[in-house]
Structure formats: structure tokens, C-alpha cells
Amino acid sequence: MSPHLPPVSPAVTAQLVAALSPRLRKRLDAGVAKIGGRPVVREGDVVRVAVDDDTDLELHAPGGVVTRAEAIRCGCLLAPDCLHRAAAASAAPVADPAESPEPAPPSAPSPAPAPGPAPAGGPVPASATPAQRAAAVALRDAAAAVLEAGIDGAGAVLQAELLRAAHTARLAGLPRAAGRAVAVVTALRAARGADPAHRLSDLTAALRDVLFLAHRLPEATGPELAALCGRVRQPYAPDGSLRLYGLFAEPVLTTTGYAGTVTWTCDASGRLCTVPDVAPGGADRAMGSADRAVRVGDTALTPRELSRAGLAVSGATVSPTGRLGAGAGVRAVRASGASWHAEPLDRLWAVPVAEQVGRALAGDVGLPSADDAAVRKPGDDRDGQDLLFLDITVVGTVQEAAGACLLADCDGLAVRLAAAHDDPALPHRENLRLLALLASARGTRLRVVARLTPAPLPRALLLAASHPTDPDAHVDLGLDRLRRADLPATPAPGTAPGARSAPVAQPASAADEAPVHLLRRRVHQAVSGGRRVLAFPGSREPEAARLRRYGLGTAGELLAELHDTAAQRARDPFGRLLPADTGRFARAWLGAALYTEEVDRALCAAAWGVSLPEPAPADRTRTGPAPAIAPPGRGGSP
């Protein structure tokens, strides 16, 4: 995926790939690699790519997005049926499906647009329409083909089929499924292009969501159907007058080509609101947007200023996820901010840690909840449910596979605080290394804001922290850069030299941890290498037996089923192998993926000492009852 090309609508890519002959389709992946390495020149809304010395390719993107196939023009002799146009569309980032209307691919008629889910308070759809059922089947087949092939085999042709299914789903009133399908394609392109920001776990989660939605949509009814369908746009509701206090700001940098800053604020009642400034761009925009003014009503403040100041807003409009509107009727003036130790911000840290973790895990059920189901740009979907407000003491560092992270004491609990982003342009890692030096300043306490990450051990991503020497100030760890001069030079006052910090609970040993990684590893291997990787004979029986020994009988059965469906191949009367049953393998993989996600949440809750409530039917992300799982040594058994 080339970040220098403008985003292309999914329907355009699907149309251009479908128009290729079988011979050219075989050469499409090589063409994508060639286009990605050619020089690019941008002149206004036109982007030119020098294919070779005699051929130029033009992409016309009014408004920044290519929305028509005719907007991609090639100067070669085979145009418009040449390989270059389809390769350029396949190499470009995928446009947000909600950015602009897309034309239906002419090679395959799309169903007529179906009404989307009813707005809040309106009539609830009784069952899926025929168009939605057909769209779900198309999504299931396209996603199963991607899972069958794996990353290496899911080239531009399979990606185009999934984009076609996403476009069909959007026309059928399924924006949630369409958005997740586009996320799968974006992650595939990042993986195949060796993008450092690619994470196999992100691709696995997106593929799991698509298959789950395709599995549940035909059978869902009522509120569950409305939640699974989603909304194209977030509604904004009038909220009267608000007095907002800046809390912190975090950079946004995604693999989909968006970057910017989200500023978090808090009103007098403790409710969180966001002011995002996210647009297409890279790391330079993520850092530069912190000092770029964002207009709210009549006031223009930079995210860095707003995170430390306040706003008095009249005629405010707020989305269900807490995004503050900036319409013509909004009036706002700058006001004074508040320290993290003063009201109303102090009440965020007064909530018990177990209650905060329970709230975060209750909203983290794999797919967004019914009120968070819209297809949105990055930065719009952060309602703050997964934020943790912790009082900690830094006691050292601990090494993980992704690098070192802080080990902190939080009320006697050993919490791992990792960098929120690994991009070297952002100062997360550098600030984390400096904060680790606070372990030598015994008794130094910090207030931090972190984002929970489900793991068998208490773990979160560090976003902001109080200043080490000025408790009334804070540091946005993704935007500000700490210096050694900001750290205390001597132990904290009142602490005797050589005094030890508060006792820290030791992490569970490897022998006491539930071996859920055995199943999770196979789930990830299927996404990376395809079905054939799990079809090879190996250590499947010892792994399943080990899972059963730890009381994870369901995990053992799912692992055995996953291997069996991967290796099973029927033969015709002449003994020839028939094509594999991709649908059955996809169902087995989906069951294993949903189970591991639920186990991770259960283990995370046990690590933090939290009891998880049973999710509502509309928010359920599994096909059966919730597994009641507790790690060995903590009591309980599945």
C-alpha cells in the first residue's frame, strides 16, 4: 500500500479488478508492487505516477478521494482495460466507505439500497432483509477465501472480492460489516507490504469481526440486528451549556492513512468529551496537529492548549461516543483549566481501580456496542470506556516481546505500563525510558491515564502522566518530550535513603498460567499462513491434551476441530481430491477466535480482581454461552 496515492473507494477497486482478463489477474500482484515503487507527483487534486519512460498514470481525486473508475486514467496502448489502472487502485489506500457515495460495480448488479438500522427510539427491524442476507453470504464467502489463502495468498484479486462484498453490504444497510471488511483489506495490504505498523492481532480481530457479523446477521432480530447493522453516521444530540476542563491529548496514527490528535476533556459531572482533529496523513501530521488550532464555536485552541485549559460552551451538541460537535449554532469561549488533583478531574481517580477495569472490560466484547456501531474515522470511536485513571509508584521495568515497559505499583498490584505507539516519530518510547528512572526516586507517586489491554497480567498502554516534579501539571506522553531535568534529582521528601517502595504483587509464574496461547497461536497461524499451515501433522494432540489438563476442555475440543477441518479433504469417485470446505474451516476458526478473546477477557478480569457481568444479547460476540474460566490457582474451573 502506497501512502503517496490518494484513497480509492472500494467499489472502484472492485470494478477495475473485475474488468481484467484472467491472464492479467495473474499478473496483478506484480503490477501492484511495480506501481508502489514508481515516482509519484501530486498537483492539486491530480496524482501522476510514472509507470515507465513513456507511460503516465493519473488519479483524479476531487476532495482527496477517487470515487469513479473513470478518474484513474492511463496513457498506455491497452487503456482503459490495462493492468495499470487496477494495480494503482489496489496499491492505494482504501477510502472510508462513509466518505462519499460509491458507484456500484457494473459487472455484478448490486442490490437496491436497504434501509439502515432504525435510529434510537425508532422502530426496531424485525429481521434481516433479503438484500442483507445476500450481503452477509457474500461477506462470509469472501472472508473465508481470505482465511483459506492466508496473508501470502490473499493478493489483490481476493482483496477486490472482499471490497466488492463490503460495497454490497454498505448498499444493503450494513455499514458495520462494510467497515470491518475494509479494515481487513487495509491490514492485508500493510502485512504484504511489510509495513512496520502492521500487527497480526489487528488483522485477526478484523477478520474475526467480519466472519462473526456474516454468521449472526441472517439469524438476528430486533435490537441485536440493529446493533449488528450499525449506523453510517453518529447522530449529534443537543446538550445545552457545558463547562469543559482539558484532561490530556493523544496522537492518532493508523495504518489506514489517518493521523492527527484527539483531545480529551471532562465536564463538571465527570463525563468525558473529545475534540478530534484527524485527517489523512502520516506521523508528521500526528505531531504537527498538536500545535494546529482546532475551532470549536468562536474559539480556536490547539490540542496542546486545550488539554491544559478549559471551554465554556453554549448550544453544545455531543455524539453518543462523546465527540463534541462544532456546528454553526455552537458558541464557545476559552476558560480556565483544572489540575488533575482538583475537581472535577480528581473524581476520575477517585473511582476504584476494579470498577474502572470492570467498566472497560464490559465494553470490550470484541465488537463495538450498539451505540458505537457506526463507521467512523479514527478518533471518533473512543468513548473513554477503556481509559484507566491510576495512582502509581514506578518500581522498575520488565522486558516483554515488544520491548521494555514500566512496572508500577498500584495499590499493591503489579501493573505493566507499555508504550501506546511504537512509531519512532512519536515520543512514547523515549518518555517511557525516562519515567523508568523514577524507580530510583523511592516513593515518587504519579497520576497516569492509560488504556486497558486485555492480558493475563495487569497491563495497560500509557497515554499521559502527571509531571514528576510539578503535580499540578501533566505530560502528554505521545506529544510532549520529557527531559532529564524534569525528573527529581533526589529521593522524594520524607523518604529515608535506601527505603524500599511499597510491596508489589509478583506476576504469576509461567507454570501457573493457563496455556491459552496454544489455541491463540493456531488462530494467528491460520490468518498468517492459511488453512494449509494447520493441515500439516504436528503436535496437535499434545497441545489439546495440555489444554484439557489445565481444565480448558472446550479449548482442547476447538483446537482439535480446527486441525481436523484444516486437514479434511474429500475425494471424488475417481480418488481425486475435491476443493477444501472453506466454510466449515471458517466456522471452526471463528469459534476458536471468539473463545480465545473471551478467555483473554476472563483472565484479565481475574488478574485485576474483577467480576465480569454477563453481556447483553445485542453485545454478545460468541455463538454459545460465555465460558466461565478462571486461571489455575485462583479457584473455579471451566
Side-chain angles (χ1 to χ4, degrees):
M1 184 171 63
S2 174
H4 305 293
L5 299 177
V8 177
S9 295
V12 173
T13 304
Q15 177 181 346
L16 292 176
V17 174
L20 294 177
S21 65
R23 180 180 63 85
L24 291 180
R25 287 192 182 191
K26 295 179 181 179
R27 298 169 50 192
L28 182 55
D29 289 331
V32 171
K34 179 180 179 180
I35 291 294
R38 302 303 298 168
V40 177
V41 178
R42 181 182 295 270
E43 297 178 1
D45 292 336
V46 179
V47 176
R48 290 186 175 86
V49 181
V51 179
D52 51 42
D53 294 339
D54 302 322
T55 304
D56 285 341
L57 188 68
E58 293 185 354
L59 290 83
H60 295 257
V65 179
V66 178
T67 58
R68 298 180 302 108
E70 295 77 12
I72 302 180
R73 306 168 186 172
C74 182
C76 72
L77 297 177
L78 298 179
D81 297 326
C82 62
L83 178 69
H84 303 140
R85 298 172 70 221
S90 300
V94 185
D96 188 333
E99 285 185 352
S100 58
E102 300 172 0
S107 56
S110 299
V124 177
S127 61
T129 65
Q132 290 173 337
R133 294 174 185 271
V137 171
L139 277 173
R140 181 195 64 199
D141 294 342
V146 169
L147 183 63
E148 162 79 12
I151 291 176
D152 291 338
V157 175
L158 287 181
Q159 294 171 24
E161 291 300 322
L162 188 54
L163 290 178
R164 179 187 299 281
H167 176 68
T168 303
R170 179 171 174 264
L171 291 180
L174 303 176
R176 187 177 190 175
R180 296 308 287 161
V182 169
V184 171
V185 174
T186 301
L188 279 174
R189 293 182 179 179
R192 292 173 61 85
D195 190 333
H198 164 68
R199 296 292 181 270
L200 182 59
S201 58
D202 295 339
L203 173 57
T204 302
L207 191 58
R208 179 200 66 214
D209 292 349
V210 173
L211 287 171
F212 171 76
L213 289 168
H215 173 78
R216 286 298 305 156
L217 275 166
E219 307 296 332
T221 58
E224 183 186 7
L225 176 60
L228 295 175
C229 290
R231 289 188 295 264
V232 177
R233 299 289 183 183
Q234 278 287 317
Y236 284 82
D239 209 330
S241 298
L242 295 176
R243 176 66 169 90
L244 300 177
Y245 300 85
L247 183 58
F248 75 100
E250 63 170 319
V252 174
L253 183 60
T254 73
T255 57
T256 57
Y258 286 93
T261 305
V262 174
T263 308
W264 292 86
T265 64
C266 177
D267 67 5
S269 65
R271 181 183 59 170
L272 299 180
C273 297
T274 59
V275 181
D277 175 23
V278 180
D284 291 342
R285 192 187 191 283
M287 290 298 297
S289 63
D291 298 309
R292 182 181 296 107
V294 179
R295 182 167 295 279
V296 180
D298 303 325
T299 302
L301 292 174
T302 67
R304 201 185 301 274
E305 294 171 340
L306 180 56
S307 67
R308 293 164 173 81
L311 280 177
V313 187
S314 62
T317 58
V318 182
S319 76
T321 56
R323 181 178 181 177
L324 191 66
V330 179
R331 298 290 182 267
V333 295
R334 181 170 181 166
S336 60
S339 166
W340 283 4
H341 293 272
E343 289 293 337
L345 302 184
D346 181 65
R347 69 182 62 180
L348 298 174
W349 279 266
V351 179
V353 175
E355 183 178 335
Q356 296 186 49
V357 175
R359 175 198 64 207
L361 290 175
D364 178 24
V365 288
L367 293 174
S369 63
D371 292 334
D372 192 24
V375 177
R376 298 177 300 276
K377 291 185 177 67
D380 296 354
D381 56 349
R382 301 184 174 183
D383 55 5
Q385 294 297 315
D386 57 350
L387 293 182
L388 302 181
F389 302 91
L390 309 175
D391 288 299
I392 65 166
T393 301
V394 179
V395 297
T397 60
V398 61
Q399 195 69 27
E400 292 185 345
C405 62
L406 292 183
L407 186 63
D409 169 53
C410 180
D411 295 335
L413 190 66
V415 179
R416 300 185 179 203
L417 298 173
H421 208 292
D422 292 329
D423 193 289
L426 303 178
H428 284 291
R429 283 286 178 192
E430 180 182 346
N431 288 334
L432 202 68
R433 285 193 293 269
L434 287 176
L435 288 178
L437 300 179
L438 292 176
S440 61
R442 304 295 186 180
T444 302
R445 298 281 289 174
L446 290 179
R447 279 197 161 177
V448 301
V449 182
R451 177 168 285 115
L452 179 69
T453 55
L457 298 173
R459 191 175 186 274
L461 302 179
L462 195 56
L463 303 174
S466 58
H467 197 282
T469 57
D470 184 3
D472 292 331
H474 75 269
V475 181
D476 297 325
L477 297 177
L479 301 173
D480 304 326
R481 293 187 183 273
L482 282 170
R483 299 289 184 266
R484 285 186 175 269
D486 296 322
L487 304 180
T490 58
T495 304
R500 296 180 61 83
S501 60
V504 177
Q506 294 299 321
S509 64
D512 294 332
E513 294 182 8
V516 190
H517 65 276
L518 298 176
L519 181 59
R520 184 188 304 108
R521 180 173 59 189
R522 299 307 181 189
V523 169
H524 287 181
Q525 281 181 344
V527 176
S528 178
R531 177 192 57 80
R532 293 175 180 82
V533 172
L534 300 185
F536 297 138
S539 58
R540 64 182 72 173
E541 290 303 326
E543 290 179 350
R546 183 181 176 190
L547 288 169
R548 295 187 183 99
R549 284 200 307 271
Y550 276 78
L552 299 175
T554 302
E557 295 299 328
L558 289 171
L559 181 60
E561 176 70 10
L562 190 61
H563 280 294
D564 289 343
T565 55
Q568 187 176 24
R569 294 287 299 275
R571 294 180 180 271
D572 64 11
F574 298 99
R576 294 171 299 192
L577 282 175
L578 296 175
D581 188 350
T582 58
R584 183 185 174 192
F585 176 70
R587 287 191 298 271
W589 181 89
L590 177 61
L594 293 175
Y595 181 88
T596 55
E597 178 210 7
E598 199 62 40
V599 171
D600 286 342
R601 293 179 62 246
L603 292 175
C604 179
W608 289 88
V610 177
S611 298
L612 281 179
E614 181 69 15
D619 292 337
R620 195 183 300 273
T621 61
R622 47 188 175 266
T623 57
I629 296 172
R634 297 183 181 271
S637 61

